[in-house]
Amino acid sequence: MFNKKSVRDIDVKGKKVLVRVDFNVPIKEGVVQDDTRVRAALPTIQYLLDQGASVILFSHLGRPKGGPDPKYSMKPVADYLGKLMGKPVKFAEDCVGEAAETVAAGLQPGDVLVLENTRFHPEEEKNDLDLAKKMAALADVFVNDAFGSAHRAHSSTEGVARFLPAVAGFLMEKEIQYLSQAIEDPKRPFVAILGGAKVSDKIGVIKNLLTKADAILIGGGMANTFFKAQGYPMGKSLVESEVLDLAKELLALGGTKLRLPVDVVVASAMEEGAETKVMPVGPIPDDMMILDVGPDTVAAYGKVIHSAATVVWNGPMGVFEVSTCAKGTFGVAEAMAASQAVTIVGGGDSASAIQKSGLADKITHISTGGGASLEMLEGLVLPGVAALQDK
Ligand code: AMP
């Protein structure tokens, strides 16, 4: 359960509130390509403004190497936010130091300021406390609404919370409530669907979910490693040979709870236009690779999803970027959308597949954080959350 203080629990009237948001959005030639995360931060921003605070927003964006890089500037996001809110949004060309301090000092209640990318300081990812202290010096209160970054202990997520009263925003609260409810006290049957490229990324998640879920449906490249562990030649398919023993162990541990695809889509290459073929699970020809789950698997998984009361999904069922290998992923998306269950999509590729399929409004909760939601499914404590004040 969520036992941290939120913006509702503090008085922010006349205060400067530093809000860590997740504005790590795709930008192309200065234009925001997907504004989901910006919109998701609006309820917290608007609430703080309504309460008479001024709001200072900051976030990382992309992976700049070692210093400022205009390609990763937060300025386009600040401009976009201004348009979205229909009001001027100030911008400071650094997240600390004189540039930030001058603008922050002049803020009046109702003002919004966006700071430059936190990762323009390489110390950020080291959770450097000097940097965190400088961030904290800009404001009276810290709010963490960046669920997508909560699994990282960085200066702007964990460090800064040591120097200011620190509480959660509405998005953070909502994300954790949905995910922790699903894991700790799910309506049953509780079904987890796991896909994506590698099993090695999800070993901890599978182990934890085997103790919590009633069924785990496996898809994506990670299924190949299980098939290989069962002794099938996998042709040119993506297989992680170094974790075959672990895969065997998980199969034994999972028993009938851990379900694998029954048929697959194969092709000779992972590219648009390559001819695809459906075949039952078994030996894969030397010149072929598995790129998606097959129709019988989609139907079988669909039945399980239909009869579930809680479904959590993380990771695509195939190489959904290639149009002929996207049916498995979109089939699961459709089954989730049609289900009466509490349906939760855990960020990343599965979230973008749901958005692409136009079914987003039929899902109970789509997480804004891929890595963070995976760590929650693994049962880990997120450092960005642990640092907030208890209720
Ligand atoms: P992840 O980042 O682990 O969630 O993996 C997502 C990626 O897995 C996507 O880019 C998919 O194209 C890829 N993927 C899914 N299924 C397969 C597969 N059968 N073979 C290779 N890659 C896959």
Side-chain angles (χ1 to χ4, degrees):
M1 279 309 97
F2 194 68
N3 62 351
K4 296 294 182 179
K5 281 190 186 168
S6 82
V7 283
R8 279 189 217 89
D9 300 313
I10 50 163
D11 179 14
V12 295
K13 192 173 163 46
K15 294 196 174 146
K16 293 190 173 81
V17 183
L18 181 65
V19 187
R20 176 59 157 97
V21 283
D22 182 0
F23 281 175
N24 182 27
V25 296
I27 295 179
K28 218 176 178 176
E29 285 153 21
V31 182
V32 173
Q33 303 293 307
D34 178 348
D35 68 355
T36 311
R37 286 174 164 173
V38 183
R39 286 180 186 276
L42 289 177
T44 298
I45 299 170
Q46 197 54 55
Y47 175 85
L48 293 169
L49 296 177
D50 291 346
Q51 299 296 308
S54 56
V55 171
I56 306 171
L57 304 167
F58 71 146
S59 171
H60 79 281
L61 174 62
R63 297 181 184 277
K65 296 268 173 292
D69 179 345
K71 206 168 100 198
Y72 297 106
S73 174
M74 200 57 85
K75 181 76 167 67
V77 189
D79 293 341
Y80 186 84
L81 178 68
K83 279 195 206 122
L84 211 54
M85 297 186 73
K87 65 181 280 160
V89 165
K90 297 178 198 300
F91 181 72
E93 282 168 7
D94 198 347
C95 67
V96 290
E98 213 184 308
E101 283 160 16
T102 313
V103 195
L107 290 179
Q108 299 299 317
D111 283 350
V112 179
L113 162 64
V114 173
L115 304 176
E116 187 52 286
N117 192 346
T118 56
R119 286 199 189 161
F120 284 180
H121 294 266
E123 304 88 348
E124 151 80 333
E125 291 181 76
K126 300 185 184 107
N127 198 11
D128 180 272
L129 293 185
D130 285 336
L131 179 65
K133 208 171 178 175
K134 285 186 200 154
M135 291 166 169
L138 300 172
D140 307 302
V141 180
F142 173 62
V143 172
N144 194 344
D145 212 20
F147 174 74
S149 306
H151 58 312
R152 308 270 185 234
H154 291 169
S155 302
S156 69
T157 59
E158 204 274 347
V160 67
R162 304 188 196 192
F163 300 105
L164 285 174
V167 302
F170 293 126
L171 175 63
M172 179 72 89
E173 189 180 51
K174 184 170 84 171
E175 291 267 17
I176 300 214
Q177 270 166 350
Y178 272 115
L179 282 155
S180 59
Q181 169 88 32
I183 300 157
E184 287 162 25
D185 188 21
K187 290 202 185 92
R188 289 184 186 278
F190 169 29
V191 174
I193 310 161
L194 294 177
K198 293 177 172 179
V199 79
S200 57
D201 292 341
K202 287 175 183 135
I203 291 164
V205 177
I206 296 173
K207 279 192 174 162
N208 189 45
L209 286 176
L210 280 174
T211 69
K212 313 271 184 190
D214 300 294
I216 301 181
L217 314 180
I218 300 284
M222 65 192 282
N224 306 348
T225 300
F226 286 112
F227 295 145
K228 180 82 181 178
Q230 288 175 328
Y232 296 120
M234 282 287 105
K236 295 199 290 180
S237 306
L238 172 76
V239 171
E240 288 181 278
S241 314
E242 62 287 0
V243 295
L244 285 179
D245 285 343
L246 245 162
K248 278 181 201 158
E249 190 193 309
L250 289 174
L251 284 171
L253 207 63
T256 53
K257 240 189 212 186
L258 195 64
R259 300 209 20 196
L260 296 177
V262 289
D263 59 348
V264 289
V265 174
V266 298
S268 59
M270 190 190 292
E271 60 193 30
E272 211 58 61
E275 197 182 328
T276 59
K277 200 173 99 180
V278 174
M279 58 181 285
V281 168
I284 302 298
D286 285 349
D287 58 344
M288 290 284 174
M289 57 175 85
I290 298 178
L291 294 175
D292 196 8
V293 298
D296 289 350
T297 306
V298 172
Y301 284 7
K303 267 190 202 156
V304 181
I305 294 167
H306 180 73
S307 59
T310 305
V311 187
V312 175
W313 176 29
N314 189 299
M317 294 290 101
V319 182
F320 74 112
E321 299 92 335
V322 175
S323 60
T324 47
C325 305
K327 287 199 189 91
T329 301
F330 287 116
V332 163
E334 277 160 26
M336 287 200 60
S339 164
Q340 298 300 306
V342 174
T343 45
I344 298 172
V345 176
D349 286 330
S350 352
S352 53
I354 284 279
Q355 303 288 3
K356 259 197 209 159
S357 64
L359 299 168
D361 60 344
K362 304 221 158 44
I363 302 296
T364 313
H365 179 68
I366 301 175
S367 176
T368 55
S373 60
L374 259 189
E375 291 206 7
M376 285 201 66
L377 295 180
E378 194 173 345
L380 302 177
V381 174
L382 309 183
V385 178
L388 304 178
Q389 291 182 344
D390 290 327
K391 257 207 172 119

